[in-house]
Amino acid sequence: MKQTVKWLAATLIALGLNQAVWADDVSDFQEMLQAAEQGNAQAQLDLGVMYYKGEGVRQDYAQAVQWFRKAAEQGDAQAKHNLGVMYYEGQGVRQDYAQAVQWYRKAAEQGIAQDQYNLGVMYEQGQGVRQDDAQAAQWYRKAAEQGVAEAQHNLGGMYDSGRGVHQDYTQAVQWFRKAAEQGYAGAQNNLGKMYANGQGVRQDDAQAAQWYRKAAEQGDAYAQFNLGVMYESGRGVHQDYTQAVQWYRNAAEQGHADAQFNLGLMYDQGRGVRQDKAQAVQWYRKAAEQGIAKAQVNLGAMYAKGLGVRQDYTQAVQWYRRAAEQGGAQAQSNLGWMYLNGRGVRQDYAQAVQWYRRAAEQGDAQAQSNLGWMYLNGQGVRQDVAQAAQWFRKAAEQGDANAQYNLGVMYTQGQGVRKNLVIAKEWYGKACDNGLQQGCDTYRKFNQAGY
């Protein structure tokens, strides 16, 4: 999983703070104020920092802005940076991204690495300037070459996705590694992803797990989730469901939706934890509320079956519908079943057909088989045995035993297809092979009859 952090460093950088000369008493403050009023840029900068932090004077952002502006207009790069921050944050002035960009640019052009990075962020996000990935990449590069880990990471992300530069996984790895070696968690996670996928480096699950771990131990939720996946699947580490649960939980508690779903699944199936349907429901719900379709489907199923919650078909329908409207085939099929049987909604064959069709067109075998039944029986559609046979065939070719049996019946009776007992026997045999006893019984009868 790729993670591109777009964090903007909107704080006074250390250079300005380190250069501030603090007033030990009123007379010292008066001397600094006098120097600032006489045009001493360093005194103006220091005075602005004092007002910003409220050290030696009452905190006053408006006063901080005034003094930063005076120093900035004399060319002080640090003051330009600080003024850009004030406009970005709306401290002491009305928030104005365009003004922030202007001051960041002035500082960036004087070589302030943090502002080169900040300017890259502004271009990438389209704040105060027209969005421009190429410009973002250029400014990230300037800051990255000065060692700014965030810029190195974001430049790696540009190469990874091919935004603003030609896609180049090798370059992505190079920049991710530089940031990762500085301890930047997002880059460590992304470097792990590159090793996991074999992009820009030889595929190496052990290396992937190592980098995921470094980021995960810093609290990076993406890396915690990814490390959980490695433990669950046994990739790069010994398979360990307990460890998988631990890392999923760490990420889930930070709000990582996929981790919440996976943790729900572990509780649902009793892997790495004692099986607990109520806990499964809780975690499915958290992920479902963040829009994860598979969690919405599973939560719907828990309500439909009364597992971990009181059975409630209306709630089941609501969650199936959310997932179905995102295009989830399983949810669409389940929603079709609810309309077919009048569970949680008024029975409505036409609605059942509509939802079955959506799922069937995505290749859902159960929905294809059920749609075949609807055409065969004329429920929600005009009866059409040829259409029924077509949908049964689609499901049968995916291994659906009931559809295979039904297709056998169609060939036996010549419904929707030309009667052919040899082909019918083949489909009964397939249904038998897939565990349908009725298919086995019919296949045996055909054998006895000599077909």
Side-chain angles (χ1 to χ4, degrees), residues 247-378:
W247 290 111
Y248 285 150
R249 189 184 307 281
N250 288 344
E253 289 174 349
Q254 292 192 67
H256 191 290
D258 287 324
Q260 292 168 342
F261 170 76
N262 283 11
L263 187 56
L265 203 59
M266 301 301 271
Y267 274 110
D268 196 357
Q269 299 175 352
R271 291 185 298 147
V273 287
R274 180 177 295 179
Q275 189 178 54
D276 187 329
K277 298 294 186 180
Q279 279 288 308
V281 165
Q282 286 186 33
W283 289 108
Y284 285 152
R285 188 184 308 281
K286 289 180 185 291
E289 288 172 348
Q290 291 199 64
I292 301 299
K294 55 190 176 183
Q296 293 167 342
V297 171
N298 285 12
L299 186 57
M302 302 300 268
Y303 274 111
K305 298 174 184 177
L307 298 174
V309 288
R310 181 177 294 179
Q311 189 178 54
D312 186 330
Y313 290 130
T314 301
Q315 281 288 310
V317 166
Q318 287 182 25
W319 288 109
Y320 286 152
R321 190 182 305 280
R322 288 194 188 192
E325 289 173 350
Q326 290 192 63
Q330 185 178 352
Q332 292 167 344
S333 181
N334 290 355
L335 194 54
W337 186 90
M338 302 299 272
Y339 275 108
L340 176 64
N341 293 283
R343 301 290 175 86
V345 288
R346 180 177 295 180
Q347 189 178 55
D348 187 328
Y349 292 146
Q351 280 288 309
V353 166
Q354 174 187 319
W355 288 110
Y356 280 146
R357 188 183 307 280
R358 290 190 185 190
E361 289 173 349
Q362 291 192 66
D364 185 281
Q366 184 65 57
Q368 292 168 342
S369 181
N370 287 349
L371 190 56
W373 266 108
M374 304 300 278
Y375 273 108
L376 182 63
N377 297 319

Side-chain angles (χ1 to χ4, degrees), residues 105 119-126 129-132 135-136:
R105 189 186 306 279
L119 197 53
V121 173
M122 303 298 272
Y123 272 110
E124 185 176 2
Q125 296 184 342
V129 288
R130 180 177 295 179
Q131 199 277 341
D132 188 328
Q135 280 289 310

Side-chain angles (χ1 to χ4, degrees), residues 64-123:
V65 166
Q66 287 184 35
W67 290 110
F68 288 150
R69 190 183 306 278
K70 289 180 183 293
E73 289 172 349
Q74 293 196 67
D76 187 281
Q78 182 60 63
K80 293 172 184 177
H81 164 82
N82 291 356
L83 195 54
V85 170
M86 304 301 275
Y87 274 109
Y88 184 83
E89 293 293 328
Q91 294 174 319
V93 288
R94 181 176 294 179
Q95 188 180 56
D96 188 329
Y97 290 143
Q99 281 289 311
V101 165
Q102 285 186 35
W103 289 109
Y104 284 151
R105 189 186 306 279
K106 291 176 185 291
E109 289 172 348
Q110 288 182 244
I112 300 296
Q114 190 64 56
D115 289 295
Q116 293 168 342
Y117 165 72
N118 285 352
L119 197 53
V121 173
M122 303 298 272
Y123 272 110

Side-chain angles (χ1 to χ4, degrees), residues 365-404:
Q366 184 65 57
Q368 292 168 342
S369 181
N370 287 349
L371 190 56
W373 266 108
M374 304 300 278
Y375 273 108
L376 182 63
N377 297 319
Q379 294 175 311
V381 287
R382 180 178 295 179
Q383 187 180 49
D384 187 329
V385 292
Q387 279 287 310
Q390 285 183 34
W391 286 111
F392 283 146
R393 185 182 304 279
K394 288 180 184 291
E397 289 173 348
Q398 292 194 66
D400 185 284
N402 287 318
Q404 291 167 339

